[in-house]
Amino acid sequence: MIYAILTRLRQDAPLQALLGATEDDTRVYPLETGNFGPCLTYTVSQVSGGVVKTSRIETRIYDTDYDHALCVAARLDQLLDMDEGDPGWFFDYEDDVGASRRVEIMTLGQNGGGELLFTAGEQTIYQKTLYYYVKWRQIK
């Protein structure tokens, strides 16, 4: 499931422009980064299992400009926060051993967040956290 989400983020030209991404650095990192902006990190936690799974994706936007961080957050919402009645989407990919896989993202919506302000040296860093819940299933 996370491959589907990451592909959506890394292939979105407006988001990549906001992050200042390059071919070598998408500025989307797992877990944590020492790069303070603009960039985003993500973690994934499973909430429930079974055929239809629910996972929580935590995104953290790092930026030295608060207004710019809000623009990145707005773009994330456009990409990930599905409206009621929106159809789900499918994602085809190869797993780590080269097997073809398909994931169906059934629902995806923001479920909260928060903000922090901290300093790194003399630099002020804004961290905006957004949580998304995704209901999905693996299709063989």
Side-chain angles (χ1 to χ4, degrees):
M1 173 276 306
I2 193 60
Y3 294 122
I5 304 298
L6 290 176
T7 298
R8 191 173 191 119
L9 299 179
R10 290 176 175 156
Q11 291 181 353
D12 183 69
L15 178 63
Q16 293 298 295
L18 283 167
L19 295 175
T22 65
E23 208 171 290
D24 296 328
D25 185 0
T26 63
R27 312 220 16 125
V28 177
Y29 310 114
L31 302 174
E32 196 170 319
T33 182
N35 182 348
F36 292 123
C39 68
L40 69 94
T41 63
Y42 65 91
T43 58
V44 180
S45 303
Q46 188 163 326
V47 176
S48 68
V51 174
V52 175
K53 298 168 180 49
T54 301
S55 298
R56 183 185 78 169
I57 302 170
E58 176 182 317
T59 61
R60 292 178 185 225
I61 301 162
Y62 295 90
D63 208 321
T64 56
D65 180 333
Y66 181 72
D67 292 330
H68 190 262
L70 293 177
C71 291
V72 174
R75 186 62 192 162
L76 272 180
D77 274 346
Q78 289 173 346
L79 292 169
L80 299 181
D81 195 11
M82 296 169 69
D83 289 330
E84 186 175 335
D86 281 355
W89 44 281
F90 293 92
F91 178 73
D92 297 305
Y93 68 98
E94 282 189 14
D95 66 14
D96 295 337
V97 294
S100 294
R101 301 286 183 193
R102 177 173 250 207
V103 168
E104 179 184 7
I105 305 296
M106 301 159 85
T107 63
L108 180 58
Q110 191 185 125
N111 184 287
E115 299 174 337
L116 289 174
L117 170 72
F118 62 96
T119 56
E122 295 185 19
Q123 186 116 31
T124 299
I125 309 296
Y126 301 96
Q127 178 184 304
K128 182 153 184 65
T129 303
L130 299 170
Y131 299 102
Y132 295 91
Y133 272 76
V134 56
K135 200 172 269 193
W136 62 282
R137 68 184 179 129
Q138 183 77 48
I139 301 171
K140 295 183 181 185

